[in-house]
Amino acid sequence: MSAIYILWLRELKRYVRSRAQIAASLGQPMLYLLVLGFGLGPVFQRAGNGSYLQFVGPGVIGMTVLFSSVFSGIGLLWDRQFGFLKEMLVAPVPRIQIMIGRTLGGATVAVIQGLLVMLICLIAGFRPQSFLTVPLAMGFMVAIALVFAGLGVAIGSSLQDMQGFQLIMNFLVLPIYFLSGALFPLVGLPKVLAVITRLDPLSYGIDGMRSVLLGKSVFSPITDLLVLTFVGAVLLIVGAHRFSKIEI
Amino acid sequence: MIRVRNLVKQFGSFTAVDDVSFDVEEGEIFAFLGPNGAGKTTTIKMLTTLLKPTGGQMELDGLDPQVEQTEARKRFGIVFQDPSLDGDLTAWENMEFHGVLYHVPHKLRRQRSEQLLKLFELWDRRGDQVKKFSGGMKRRLEIARGFLHMPKILFLDEPTLGLDPQSRNQLWNIVKQVNEAEKVTVFLTTHYMDEADRVAHRIGIIDHGKLVAQGTPKAIKEQTGKESLEEAFLALTGTIIRDESADATDQMRQFAKMWSREKR
């Protein structure tokens, strides 16, 4: 238990100490929120869908949690690089505990980032149907964070160097974001796109947040939660397995 | 304390460690010498559970590091060839982290961290982030950390690489001191023959994955009929220069260096 705690604590300390990184990681969601939110707003309104800022808010929060949690897993590459991974791997602690502590730390950081972006959304004019639903939205953030922290660990354990990182970013993380319904409603889509968006786990996370924050959803929040739990469990098991196989 | 029998490690068709056998007694300082790529680090990685051997037996304090991994890990401390500290944490936090992972009780952990940081002259800088430390300070911190959980065996993989003579001298003095005071068995590798000659009770020389000589420094010099250990070493391993190709980790390290320079 104490090993899990200290690994979790390490992730948080590193996060709090990298102020420049916190600012940088909030820049991108702000760009999406403000530029798209206000830029596409009029068109969205005319199409009869209401406020785009309201619509894109949960999408941008979901994106933040996605990026932050995937990167925490890929951070394993940095630990490998700076040698700290070895210090963890020779310690008399089962690897599963190391993986759990690290993943929980990364997920916690991702949720904090999500909450910061939610705060920015509120300042920009985003309004949930009731502030009482915010904790529920947080529950979905946790679910998204765990799903993608699992994916991040699986990737981080498998990659050997930074070259693969760009590939993962362009062919996995960005598509997960763009195909999740973060930026456009998942209704009336062409057949192929409809199928792909339904295979993207982030779709369910963002849909879940929309359903609790705005009362609008494509799937039901129960479906969302079930899908996220299932995919999260699978990815965490895969991540743990990949992590247990690391050799340096 | 350490028992190795017919140890073999193959990477594909390349044999990095080829049928190596040796023993290290309790409280002994054993130096493992060899040119680049001879198999020193690979042997240490196998002994410390980081790599699985292709064949052969190993024992650390009577435990098989492959089977009783966790128990074996409690028995040893290791200072790696390349740094393994977390630069974002302070010196004290790096010690704390290590102490918690090795289940050192809270009170003892604090007491020992303080004692070791003072011994290695890092106590005044305990609250500073490690990334601000010089190479020598990082090295000292790593060795202090290696001693924290009172290991029975300490592995030092080229601990003095890149240190100035003062730091090297101080480092070996402390290692000798702790070896005598706590009866820690030390297994070290180095490229500095004078250090091995001075510190080690016994020496093993490995080349192309094979152990070519072992014994006291004196015995090895006598065996080859040379005056110094350096000459004996060259006589045993030849004068051809070995080049290791850069692996993925080295390339990444270079990449990181580029980045950290840009940041500054």
Side-chain angles (χ1 to χ4, degrees), chain B:
Chain B
M1 188 52 75
I2 305 175
R3 211 179 114 90
V4 172
R5 288 290 172 273
N6 312 102
L7 191 64
V8 177
K9 177 70 191 180
Q10 288 170 328
F11 296 104
S13 60
F14 173 68
T15 308
V17 175
D18 192 359
D19 197 22
V20 165
S21 303
F22 61 86
D23 289 282
V24 181
E25 298 304 319
E26 186 170 0
E28 194 173 33
I29 300 183
F30 185 83
F32 207 42
L33 309 176
N36 286 335
K40 301 181 302 273
T41 301
T42 309
T43 306
I44 289 196
K45 279 184 177 173
M46 286 190 280
L47 282 166
T48 54
T49 72
L50 283 173
L51 270 182
K52 286 197 179 73
T54 314
Q57 286 91 45
M58 296 178 291
E59 247 178 47
L60 294 179
D61 195 20
L63 298 163
D64 183 340
Q66 275 184 280
V67 185
E68 291 145 297
Q69 271 200 349
T70 307
E71 274 307 306
R73 284 171 180 167
K74 282 183 195 160
R75 303 287 199 281
F76 66 79
I78 174 161
V79 176
F80 296 101
Q81 193 171 12
D82 28 56
S84 65
L85 298 161
D86 186 337
D88 287 322
L89 299 183
T90 65
W92 180 257
E93 284 167 344
N94 267 291
M95 294 293 271
E96 273 287 300
F97 187 90
H98 185 88
V100 171
L101 284 190
Y102 283 81
H103 311 288
V104 182
H106 186 261
K107 212 175 142 194
L108 183 66
R109 192 165 78 221
R110 308 228 134 177
Q111 214 180 322
R112 239 183 115 72
S113 292
E114 181 175 341
Q115 187 192 340
L116 284 163
L117 287 176
K118 280 181 177 159
L119 179 66
F120 283 84
E121 293 173 27
L122 290 166
W123 179 246
D124 296 334
R125 301 287 302 273
R126 65 185 180 280
D128 288 355
Q129 280 182 312
V130 169
K131 62 181 168 197
K132 293 174 189 149
F133 281 15
S134 71
M137 291 166 73
K138 283 185 188 162
R139 223 67 197 127
R140 289 194 327 251
L141 179 58
E142 286 197 61
I143 297 172
R145 187 180 68 178
F147 279 119
L148 178 62
H149 59 282
M150 289 185 277
K152 288 188 161 178
I153 306 167
L154 186 68
F155 290 97
L156 303 170
D157 194 1
E158 294 184 30
T160 50
L161 199 71
L163 294 188
D164 63 10
Q166 283 83 359
S167 308
R168 270 162 51 189
N169 182 48
Q170 181 201 30
L171 201 150
W172 289 124
N173 283 340
I174 298 174
V175 168
K176 272 180 123 170
Q177 201 180 317
V178 183
N179 162 263
E180 276 157 29
E182 297 184 8
K183 288 276 163 272
V184 184
T185 307
V186 180
F187 184 98
L188 66 94
T189 73
T190 177
H191 279 310
Y192 302 105
M193 296 302 137
D194 54 315
E195 288 179 355
D197 201 359
R198 202 183 102 200
V199 181
H201 302 135
R202 271 190 329 121
I203 285 172
I205 294 179
I206 186 172
D207 194 21
H208 297 300
K210 281 189 187 298
L211 205 58
V212 291
Q214 66 173 309
T216 61
K218 200 168 154 238
I220 287 180
K221 279 181 259 181
E222 276 166 10
Q223 185 191 329
T224 51
K226 302 284 181 192
E227 290 279 302
S228 73
L229 191 61
E230 181 123 14
E231 284 171 305
F233 179 79
L234 289 173
L236 284 163
T237 58
T239 48
I240 301 158
I241 293 171
R242 320 293 163 79
D243 287 316
E244 281 176 292
S245 58
D247 62 3
T249 321
D250 291 323
Q251 286 169 18
M252 275 220 312
R253 207 159 279 135
Q254 233 152 22
F255 181 80
K257 263 189 205 145
M258 219 166 67
W259 268 95
S260 55
R261 228 173 269 152
E262 267 175 36
K263 266 191 225 159
R264 259 178 246 151

Side-chain angles (χ1 to χ4, degrees), chain A:
Chain A
M1 264 328 274
S2 54
I4 295 179
Y5 168 72
I6 198 89
L7 278 151
W8 174 84
L9 191 67
R10 168 176 179 252
E11 293 298 312
L12 283 188
K13 279 185 172 166
R14 286 169 64 89
Y15 171 68
V16 174
R17 277 172 201 176
S18 58
R19 293 212 182 88
Q21 208 191 326
I22 299 176
S25 62
L26 293 179
Q28 203 177 13
M30 265 167 81
L31 207 62
Y32 277 104
L33 183 75
L34 301 177
V35 176
L36 291 187
F38 291 108
L40 290 179
V43 182
F44 200 72
Q45 191 105 45
R46 247 174 284 153
N49 284 314
S51 159
Y52 189 60
L53 187 75
Q54 289 289 84
F55 177 82
V56 87
V60 171
I61 296 170
M63 168 191 115
T64 311
V65 178
L66 162 75
F67 283 12
S68 182
S69 48
V70 171
F71 292 162
S72 82
I74 294 179
L76 266 178
L77 269 179
W78 292 105
D79 278 346
R80 186 191 280 266
Q81 166 131 27
F82 292 109
F84 199 68
L85 186 63
K86 280 181 291 191
E87 154 79 356
M88 293 190 268
L89 295 187
V90 291
V93 174
R95 284 221 182 157
I96 185 77
Q97 286 189 22
I98 293 176
M99 186 267 184
I100 291 174
R102 234 184 152 283
T103 308
L104 285 182
T108 309
V109 167
V111 172
I112 296 174
Q113 288 275 81
L115 288 172
L116 283 178
V117 170
M118 183 182 262
L119 198 69
I120 294 172
C121 288
L122 291 171
I123 295 168
F126 175 82
R127 290 290 170 268
Q129 52 177 347
S130 153
F131 279 95
L132 293 176
T133 61
V134 169
L136 288 175
M138 223 180 111
F140 276 105
M141 282 185 221
V142 173
I144 298 173
L146 287 174
V147 168
F148 293 107
L151 182 69
V153 172
I155 296 169
S157 313
S158 314
L159 289 182
Q160 294 285 335
D161 56 41
M162 284 324 259
Q163 270 89 38
F165 180 77
Q166 281 298 330
L167 272 175
I168 297 294
M169 189 63 206
N170 288 327
F171 289 99
L172 193 69
V173 183
L174 283 176
I176 286 177
Y177 168 49
F178 284 118
L179 294 169
S180 67
L183 301 174
F184 50 82
L186 295 179
V187 283
L189 295 176
K191 199 87 190 162
V192 180
L193 202 56
V195 172
I196 299 176
T197 50
R198 273 159 184 75
L199 291 176
D200 182 345
L202 186 62
S203 300
Y204 299 89
I206 290 175
D207 189 66
M209 276 198 285
R210 278 201 187 113
S211 84
V212 295
L213 287 173
L214 306 171
K216 290 176 193 163
S217 66
V218 181
F219 321 109
S220 81
I222 303 294
T223 315
D224 293 332
L225 201 59
L226 286 176
V227 172
L228 288 173
T229 312
F230 175 72
V231 177
V234 171
L235 284 175
L236 286 169
I237 291 168
V238 173
H241 177 73
R242 296 295 320 166
F243 191 77
S244 73
K245 294 278 177 243
I246 296 181
E247 277 197 350
I248 21 180

